[in-house]
Amino acid sequence: MTTLFDCRRTLDVLQDWLRREVTPETAAAIEAHLALCAPCRVHQEFEQRFQMVLERASAQERCPPEFRERLLAALRREAGR
């Protein structure tokens, strides 16, 4: 049996659904709601496109080697406490 989601609940878990971090039952409930709700579907499509743009933009970014080394050293120090 699929649980019904309203707009608020759908939008509350939309990011998790987009990252495929929800249970199959939750995914089915979100997909059922999106199939019937045009405003939520528009929001979902926007969020999906936005995520793709961010992923493409961040794929080209690299952490400067000096910063990476300082960060790793700080993490090692913290782990040693």
Side-chain angles (χ1 to χ4, degrees), residues 37-47 49:
C37 182
C40 285
R41 203 168 41 253
V42 167
H43 191 81
Q44 174 261 319
E45 290 165 359
F46 170 82
E47 291 292 337
R49 285 191 310 270

Side-chain angles (χ1 to χ4, degrees), residues 51-77:
Q51 267 189 0
M52 287 179 3
V53 168
L54 286 177
E55 287 170 8
R56 270 189 255 131
S58 66
Q60 298 170 8
E61 292 296 318
R62 297 288 179 245
C63 182
E66 303 82 23
F67 178 75
R68 183 177 188 281
E69 288 305 316
R70 286 192 344 247
L71 179 60
L72 289 173
L75 290 172
R76 285 186 205 109
R77 282 192 306 271

Side-chain angles (χ1 to χ4, degrees), residues 3 5 13 16 19 24 26 39 42-43 53 74 81:
T3 304
F5 276 28
V13 294
D16 295 334
R19 290 186 308 268
T26 299
V42 167
H43 191 81
V53 168
R81 289 183 182 187

Side-chain angles (χ1 to χ4, degrees), residues 13 18 21 27 36 48 77 80:
V13 294
L18 287 170
E21 296 176 352
L36 299 173
Q48 203 162 21
R77 282 192 306 271

